[in-house]
Amino acid sequence: MRIVLGVTGGIAAYKSALLLRLMTEAGHQVDVVPTPAALNFVGRATWEALSGRPVRTDTFEAVESVNHVRLGREAELVVVAPATADSLARTAAGLAPDLLGNVLLTATCPVLMVPAMHTEMWLHPATVANVQTLRSRGMTVLEPDSGRLTGADTGPGRFPEPERIWAEAQRLSSTSGTLAGTRPLAGRTVVVTAGGTREALDPVRYLGNRSSGKQGVAVAEAALAAGASVTFIGGAMSVDPPAGTEVVRVESTQELHEAVLSHASGADALVMAAAVADFRPAEYAEAKIKKAQDGTNPVIHLERTPDVLADAVAARAAGQPLPGVIVGFGAETGDGTTSVLEFGAAKLARKGCEMLVVNQVGRDQVFGQDTTEVTMLFADGREPVAVAGDKTDVGVAIVTELAGLLDQPARLDRMDQ
Ligand code: CTP
């Protein structure tokens, strides 16, 4: 892979030399593009020796090779580490006073920004706004670590360890893969739900499930890489919501129901990856339920929760502007007489959505794992598509099928004309 490693003028530049080592040792070709200020911290000779390639900072060096356009166009991944508050501001404003600024304006590949600065700068409203701008344009801006900064001060703003940056960069590039090149969801709005819902029993207890949120996060990241604007509605999860999305947090099924029906209104697609509670306590105890003095066990009565997916389909049928493509998930085990796919097909028909992602659950629990095996079923009768692998790969496969479904009515419209 061709990587551009941008280095801006912060003390953490010395740690980027280790990041460069991780990239080259993995066999990648890395062009290091420091800003002039970065060379105050680590000199050109270090970058040239470690990358084995010429290092330039200025737009007017090696002009004959049109470096200022070529490097960005040819890059398959750009990592800016460290990214100072000043460099985030310049990038958000689209300025290109040096070679790195030009690379960032011409690159169409995934871009990972790794901020490192003092806490005051990171929390300054200008930086907060710049980070938001960059994320809304599809750049991934890593959250800095919290801890010891250059001096005796501590707080958020610390440069993450090179191993973590490299892991994030690899994840970004594999998610983006083919989708970033073709951007099949450019101009589309996608709403993705993820994680589990929690149903309160009393002020301290709830009924919940083991959903990690990983599959929904992978779908949201793949949709972002494909060029979509993504709203991520997250319940309880063990992973962070994806950077670059509009994040809405919910707890109960009722809150999820309201969030989906309002945010999906006007969107192009809705992906219901959330593990939604099917039942909730019929009564909420305003005070904590105490153990009975006579030793009797409490009885909890349950009632059905609203079916968010089915209600979204019904609201669309009633004329509300809900997405033309709605994707559901189904966890199935199969039994002696009915296979997993037969149960899946029945669920697809029952829910009335366009696509159902079926996974087999049972002894090998899907919850929390990084790999999975799913079959996508379609309401329009097209052949099912099976895919196995990392949840990231499955996210890309789901978004690829989703993009195909979104394109279809447009193609038919064009044929009608
Ligand atoms: N879902 C929902 N609202 C619910 C329950 C589920 O929107 N109250 C959505 C889930 O997000 C998922 C799909 O519906 O996309 C799962 O359907 P469900 O009928 O709950 O399937 P299972 O969880 O597999 O359970 P069962 O087979 O028992 O119906």
Side-chain angles (χ1 to χ4, degrees), residues 246-307:
E246 184 196 345
V247 177
V248 178
R249 297 308 298 251
V250 295
E251 190 171 289
S252 64
T253 303
Q254 189 56 39
E255 284 173 20
L256 179 74
H257 191 273
E258 284 156 23
V260 166
L261 290 182
S262 74
H263 289 275
S265 181
D268 295 294
L270 166 66
V271 181
M272 286 292 303
V276 188
D278 289 321
F279 306 99
R280 64 185 169 205
E283 268 161 40
Y284 172 72
E286 297 290 342
K288 187 183 168 204
I289 300 169
K290 307 291 278 181
K291 289 187 284 296
Q293 293 302 323
D294 62 4
T296 53
N297 291 322
V299 175
I300 301 167
H301 289 284
L302 299 177
E303 64 180 15
R304 290 286 295 269
T305 54
D307 189 323

Side-chain angles (χ1 to χ4, degrees), residues 272 274 276-278 305-309 328-331 347 350-351:
M272 286 292 303
V276 188
D278 289 321
T305 54
D307 189 323
V308 183
L309 176 55
F329 279 66
K347 186 169 289 176
R350 202 166 59 237
K351 299 265 180 183

Side-chain angles (χ1 to χ4, degrees), residues 35-314:
T35 59
L39 295 179
N40 291 321
F41 295 95
V42 178
R44 194 185 297 255
T46 304
W47 301 120
E48 290 196 337
L50 290 177
S51 68
R53 303 191 46 86
V55 168
R56 303 194 169 95
T57 62
D58 195 276
T59 317
F60 298 101
E61 291 173 86
V63 175
E64 76 289 351
S65 63
V66 206
N67 249 337
H68 75 292
V69 176
R70 188 183 54 81
L71 277 173
R73 275 198 190 146
E74 290 180 359
E76 290 160 271
L77 175 69
V78 176
V79 179
V80 181
T84 58
D86 178 61
S87 70
L88 294 174
R90 275 184 281 127
T91 312
L95 297 176
D98 48 30
L99 187 56
L100 182 59
N102 284 273
V103 168
L104 290 168
L105 282 179
T106 46
T108 52
C109 63
V111 177
L112 176 66
M113 292 283 202
V114 188
M117 63 197 72
H118 285 278
T119 305
E120 295 85 339
M121 294 187 183
W122 175 247
L123 297 179
H124 192 283
T127 308
V128 171
N130 290 329
V131 167
Q132 208 173 15
T133 301
L134 295 174
R135 285 180 175 161
S136 71
R137 292 187 193 142
M139 273 190 187
T140 302
V141 183
L142 218 57
E143 284 295 313
D145 281 351
S146 261
R148 176 90 193 267
L149 302 170
T150 323
D153 47 345
T154 59
R158 191 180 149 89
F159 192 67
E161 289 311 310
E163 286 75 15
R164 182 183 148 216
I165 301 171
W166 181 223
E168 288 288 345
Q170 286 172 294
R171 201 164 60 89
L172 177 65
S173 120
S174 68
T175 307
S176 306
T178 51
L179 293 175
T182 53
R183 293 174 70 79
L185 294 182
R188 303 282 197 183
T189 314
V190 178
V191 176
V192 181
T193 69
T197 56
R198 288 177 172 177
E199 305 302 330
L201 189 55
D202 68 20
V204 294
R205 302 187 181 94
Y206 60 82
L207 300 182
N209 62 61
R210 293 182 199 278
S211 172
S212 66
K214 285 180 185 171
Q215 188 60 76
V217 168
V219 171
E221 285 175 341
L224 269 181
S229 296
V230 180
T231 299
F232 181 85
I233 304 178
M237 319 191 296
S238 61
V239 292
D240 286 335
T245 60
E246 184 196 345
V247 177
V248 178
R249 297 308 298 251
V250 295
E251 190 171 289
S252 64
T253 303
Q254 189 56 39
E255 284 173 20
L256 179 74
H257 191 273
E258 284 156 23
V260 166
L261 290 182
S262 74
H263 289 275
S265 181
D268 295 294
L270 166 66
V271 181
M272 286 292 303
V276 188
D278 289 321
F279 306 99
R280 64 185 169 205
E283 268 161 40
Y284 172 72
E286 297 290 342
K288 187 183 168 204
I289 300 169
K290 307 291 278 181
K291 289 187 284 296
Q293 293 302 323
D294 62 4
T296 53
N297 291 322
V299 175
I300 301 167
H301 289 284
L302 299 177
E303 64 180 15
R304 290 286 295 269
T305 54
D307 189 323
V308 183
L309 176 55
D311 285 356
V313 171

Side-chain angles (χ1 to χ4, degrees), residues 331-373:
E332 303 292 350
T333 55
D335 62 19
T337 52
T338 312
S339 73
V340 168
L341 289 191
E342 283 166 341
F343 273 130
K347 186 169 289 176
L348 175 66
R350 202 166 59 237
K351 299 265 180 183
C353 53
E354 282 59 51
M355 170 174 153
L356 191 81
V357 183
V358 182
N359 49 35
Q360 182 162 7
V361 289
R363 268 174 306 153
D364 300 330
Q365 284 285 0
V366 184
F367 286 130
Q369 295 205 351
D370 289 329
T371 57
T372 184
E373 214 176 312

